[in-house]
Amino acid sequence: MMSLDVAQLGKDILAAFNGTLIEKWPEIREYGEAEAKKLAQTLVMIEKLKISGKITKEQAALHLEIQKNATRMVFMTIEGLGILAAEAAITAALNVVKDSVNTAVGFSLL
């Protein structure tokens, strides 16, 4: 049975983005919403693939890294938002969902 809820993950990730990037939030809100949704969808996809035995820990980590890179690049296209701010936002977002995701996939993905 799937335990991760894409909508809840998305809300939690979005709240972490907002809290971390508060000064830029009016400019990046739409980007943040889209990226939160994509990260949440990636995490749910990883859980689904893991449950069905179609993905290894290494493949799961690679899927996550690809999405993190995409999110990082999107955030860095925003004027005045540098790599450190983008990285801090992604780290904060993944820390918020870390326990539920790691429990769902059965290993330390985050």
Side-chain angles (χ1 to χ4, degrees):
M1 184 182 142
M2 303 260 298
S3 64
L4 294 178
D5 177 303
V6 73
Q8 187 59 53
L9 280 176
K11 284 180 194 170
D12 293 344
I13 290 168
L14 185 63
F17 283 165
N18 184 351
T20 309
L21 303 170
I22 193 104
E23 292 175 15
K24 289 272 178 196
W25 195 245
E27 301 159 61
I28 68 160
R29 181 185 190 105
E30 289 179 31
Y31 295 104
E33 289 170 350
E35 293 308 307
K37 187 175 183 180
K38 289 177 199 169
L39 265 173
Q41 289 169 337
T42 297
L43 293 168
V44 169
M45 177 195 72
I46 290 169
E47 179 194 23
K48 186 176 177 184
L49 291 170
K50 179 67 173 83
I51 288 170
S52 63
K54 295 179 181 172
I55 196 171
T56 65
K57 288 181 187 182
E58 293 77 18
Q59 290 167 323
L62 183 59
H63 276 291
L64 177 61
E65 199 54 43
I66 290 167
Q67 187 56 56
K68 283 170 58 178
N69 286 338
T71 298
R72 195 178 293 117
M73 291 300 112
V74 167
F75 283 166
M76 289 180 61
T77 64
I78 298 157
E79 191 171 341
L81 190 65
I83 184 74
L84 294 178
E87 201 57 45
I90 293 166
T91 299
L94 294 178
N95 281 339
V96 167
V97 298
K98 180 178 182 174
D99 291 342
S100 58
V101 170
N102 288 345
T103 299
V105 298
F107 59 89
S108 293
L109 178 64
L110 306 181

